[in-house]
Amino acid sequence: MSPGAGTVGAVYGAALLLSLAGLGSTLWNGVDEPGNALAFGTLIVLGELARWGTGPRAGTPAATGEPRGREPAPLSAAGALAYALLGESAGTATTHGVLQITAVVVAAGLAGIVPHLARGHDPGLDHLARRVLTVGFAALCFQPLYNSGAVVGHLGQGPWYAVFLLLLLVLTALCDAVLAALVLRARTGFPYGPLLRDELRALLGIGSAVCATGAVMALGVAAAGLWALPVLAVPLLLTQVSFRRYAAVRTVNRQTIASLARATEIAGCTPPGHARRVAALSTAVGRELGLSGPELTVLEHAALMHDIGQLSLVDPVAGGATALLPAEEQRRIALLGGEVVRRTGVPASVAVIVERQADPYREQPVPARIVRAVNAYDDLAGDRAGAALDALERLRLGTARDYHPDVVECLARVLARGGAAGVTSAPTG
């Protein structure tokens, strides 16, 4: 068993043990305050259903470890956190404990993923396991202190109580980020540091909205009762709808760029699948080198369009293999490609990488170094059996001037870890 499988198994095992303890205790002792449990459970289920259609289909590369959205069901996450931090309901002290909170979150989460399974979408078990652990952590930190009277006795019910909830939610969010990065590291093999950095950066976006809504829901139900839940859920639901629309726009932009990249294949300038392979490998190498999420997006777009300058040539390059051309001719094609990219409305940062992919590596930005090396590898490897090792060897021999040594070694590690077929199977649409 690989270390990655062991990490994922440990996370799943811990979540399973906590879930069984919660469900067993609740079934044995009964449900305290069933109205509260039903209301928050319903909110969690609705939150899971609100991400209908957003996940990839099970079995696709995106569903098997490709990094994707940080929190696909923010309303569900906020409802679960609010239930974990619920001390009163309409001024009356609650009696539910940590195990019942876990049971409600697990039961509602499982109910919410059934429609996704029926549609063939990824059920999001990684997110569910993390939610069970993080909500259990929040409940364990809050419920014993609140039930003993320590929180109210020291902080009262005023602003300091709200600050305490927010601090606890921030600590919970940090724990979730650590878990998310661990799972992604185990599934993808990418360096842990950049993955954790991306997760922490995501906390400033939808993560902060989830934490704030969870705290406000707990405070609102404490003061006004369960009627506050639907009112307080509306802003986050609208935010989620807006985020989905933004994600849809980004998907359309990516599909447009991928279609433009295929123009060189349709025109016979490059072999079929070349741009897709270079984009997939470049993104993997970029993650290996520690590039952040936005940098990886720019890198992927530049890699998809790196050969578009060949459309401006009178005589096509034989086989589309620009890596075999003289340096000056490579630079001329790269400049032509940058000019074409600027006319498409793609961000200027993408055009800069396309333009500078043929420069000596000491003068290049990191994304351009990656595109240059990966493009050369795919040109040299081709379809010949055993050509991959020869291509890597030629890249290593060219590290004195043409290819950055770190990029070449990262490319070798990516290929050794997953193989060219495994890395380049990511969809471009």
Side-chain angles (χ1 to χ4, degrees), residues 1 28 61 69 85 92 137 167 258:
M1 183 176 65
W28 182 264
L85 302 180
T92 302
F137 171 81
L167 290 176

Side-chain angles (χ1 to χ4, degrees), residues 71-364:
E71 179 49 69
L75 183 60
S76 179
L81 287 173
Y83 191 45
L85 302 180
L86 184 65
E88 293 184 356
S89 179
T92 302
T94 59
T95 58
H96 64 271
V98 176
L99 293 179
Q100 179 174 311
I101 292 170
T102 303
V104 170
V105 170
V106 171
L110 291 175
I113 68 175
V114 169
H116 299 286
L117 289 173
R119 289 288 297 271
H121 289 116
D122 175 21
L125 293 180
D126 285 357
H127 286 282
L128 181 59
R130 282 167 37 208
R131 183 173 300 157
V132 170
L133 293 177
T134 53
V135 170
F137 171 81
L140 187 61
C141 291
F142 176 79
Q143 292 293 333
L145 290 176
Y146 185 88
N147 293 335
S148 66
V151 174
V152 176
H154 289 85
L155 302 177
Q157 295 282 9
W160 287 111
Y161 178 72
V163 171
F164 170 73
L165 290 185
L166 285 174
L167 290 176
L168 185 55
L169 283 170
V170 169
L171 184 60
T172 303
L174 291 175
C175 293
D176 183 61
V178 171
L179 279 176
L182 279 174
V183 172
L184 281 176
R185 171 70 177 85
R187 291 201 179 280
T188 64
F190 295 135
Y192 180 74
L195 292 175
L196 180 59
R197 183 179 61 193
D198 285 347
E199 293 295 333
L200 293 176
R201 185 182 291 111
L203 294 180
L204 301 177
I206 194 67
S208 61
V210 170
C211 290
T213 304
V216 171
M217 281 182 175
L219 294 172
V221 172
L226 296 175
W227 293 107
L229 277 182
V231 176
L232 298 174
V234 169
L236 187 58
L237 184 59
L238 294 176
T239 301
Q240 184 173 350
V241 171
S242 299
F243 180 79
R244 289 178 62 179
R245 290 181 177 177
Y246 170 71
V249 170
R250 289 190 61 181
T251 300
V252 171
N253 289 339
R254 188 180 184 280
Q255 290 172 340
T256 301
I257 291 173
S259 298
L260 289 172
R262 290 192 66 240
T264 57
E265 299 177 14
I266 295 173
C269 298
T270 58
H274 171 70
R276 177 179 60 83
R277 292 192 299 270
V278 172
L281 269 176
S282 295
T283 304
V285 173
R287 280 201 171 272
E288 190 78 14
L289 286 170
L291 298 187
S292 65
E295 292 171 328
L296 289 172
T297 299
V298 173
L299 171 62
E300 181 192 27
H301 293 172
L304 283 170
M305 305 183 75
H306 74 281
D307 268 333
I308 203 167
Q310 294 197 43
L311 295 175
S312 302
L313 300 178
V314 176
D315 297 320
V317 178
T322 55
L324 304 178
L325 296 175
E328 289 303 320
E329 184 64 11
Q330 291 185 38
R331 193 167 294 113
R332 185 176 76 89
I333 295 174
L335 292 174
L336 290 172
E339 183 62 28
V340 173
V341 172
R342 292 182 190 278
R343 294 178 181 274
T344 63
V346 174
S349 55
V350 176
V352 169
I353 297 173
V354 173
E355 288 174 341
R356 302 192 61 185
Q357 62 176 305
D359 294 348
Y361 74 73
R362 292 179 178 84
E363 304 172 10
Q364 291 176 311

